[in-house]
Amino acid sequence: MKMKLYYAETLNPRKACTVAKYLNSPVEYVRVELAKGAHKKPEYLAMNPNGKVPTLVVSEDFVIWEADAIMAYLARFAGSDLLPEGDKQIEVMRWLSWGTQHFTRHGGGLYFEFCIKPWIGLGEADPAAVKSSQEQFRLFAKILDEHLANKKFLLGDQLTIADFSVGVTLPYAKKAQIPLPEFPNVARWHDRLNELPAWRDPYPVPDALAA
Ligand SMILES: N[C@@H](CCC(=O)N[C@@H](CS)C(=O)NCC(=O)O)C(=O)O
């Protein structure tokens, strides 16, 4: 059985799709129609009780949800350095956790206000939410900017799934009013990621939401 990657053209599936494309993983892509509520149907909930994308079905007995775990699985499946061993793997875990809890949480808040709300007809961005997310984003972006001052990627010279995970909001920076230009080392890191076709264009079909 070929692995199946259930995705939509949104933030978290972007992580899984980027790795799958970068590694040319042997997955069958299955697009989930979020607008039609396909992710809340019993057959989808049986695979992923959260009713969210992405989901990777490896076999009848092994289904993985959570984008970071899917990235890690695909990297390990390929035997790729995207998921290094030993202490470096711990560093990757640190950045995955930091990204989810902080950097992407606040960048994702802006992505929701400026990209998702108009997309699903939820109206204008809420100025108070925007202000708060931008303030919080700046706090954590400063930390990332200092970390990246003398590094190509989060772990130094080696590209890992942590780069793909932590950077996931940045392709939407312009549209989402994420203050990326204030953080030159983060911006340069993102320019470097943009050199990768799998980063620029991760989905099997083009991303309608990209800036
Ligand atoms: N923690 C999950 C979050 C997944 C998630 O929130 N996916 C969004 C799209 S980016 C979704 O499915 N939203 C639809 C919904 O919640 O109804 C992960 O990392 O995969």
Side-chain angles (χ1 to χ4, degrees):
M1 171 188 165
K2 199 170 181 182
M3 293 189 279
K4 286 189 180 173
L5 178 55
Y6 290 78
Y7 78 100
E9 291 86 10
T10 53
L11 216 54
N12 288 293
R14 187 179 184 110
K15 298 181 184 181
C17 289
T18 300
V19 173
K21 193 171 250 191
Y22 183 84
L23 295 173
N24 200 13
S25 303
V27 299
E28 179 187 332
Y29 292 92
V30 184
R31 188 166 185 275
V32 179
E33 294 273 357
L34 298 184
K36 292 187 182 156
H39 54 311
K40 305 295 180 192
K41 297 264 162 63
E43 52 275 26
Y44 190 86
L45 292 172
M47 297 184 293
N48 182 343
N50 303 287
K52 293 183 186 296
V53 280
T55 301
L56 181 71
V57 178
V58 177
S59 70
E60 266 177 37
D61 303 326
F62 190 30
V63 178
I64 308 171
W65 30 266
E66 293 302 307
D68 288 342
I70 294 172
M71 295 173 95
Y73 181 83
L74 291 176
R76 201 167 76 106
F77 184 87
S80 163
D81 281 353
L82 281 184
L83 183 67
E85 299 287 338
D87 286 353
K88 286 189 169 184
Q89 192 174 109
I90 304 302
E91 270 193 77
V92 167
M93 288 170 68
R94 182 258 298 266
W95 284 111
L96 295 180
S97 178
W98 182 87
T100 310
Q101 300 291 332
H102 308 302
F103 192 73
T104 302
R105 177 168 163 212
H106 303 299
L110 294 164
Y111 168 82
F112 177 75
E113 291 297 327
F114 290 109
C115 299
I116 294 296
K117 276 170 99 169
W119 191 45
I120 60 176
L122 280 182
E124 297 285 299
D126 169 4
V130 169
K131 184 168 179 286
S132 161
S133 291
Q134 285 179 334
E135 280 170 8
Q136 291 295 315
F137 179 86
R138 284 188 176 98
L139 290 179
F140 293 102
K142 185 170 180 294
I143 292 162
L144 185 58
D145 203 59
E146 282 164 11
H147 178 78
L148 287 169
N150 300 309
K151 292 183 183 66
K152 268 174 82 175
F153 300 111
L154 289 174
L155 265 71
D157 285 337
Q158 185 180 350
L159 176 73
T160 68
I161 59 170
D163 296 287
F164 291 152
S165 183
V166 171
V168 74
T169 55
L170 301 183
Y172 307 94
K174 213 169 184 177
K175 195 177 268 184
Q177 301 197 18
I178 292 172
L180 177 60
E182 294 174 24
F183 302 93
N185 298 321
V186 179
R188 266 196 297 276
W189 167 64
H190 189 241
D191 289 345
R192 216 166 278 133
L193 293 176
N194 260 331
E195 289 167 13
L196 305 171
W199 178 261
R200 290 196 306 272
D201 191 14
Y203 302 114
V205 293
D207 180 7
L209 283 174

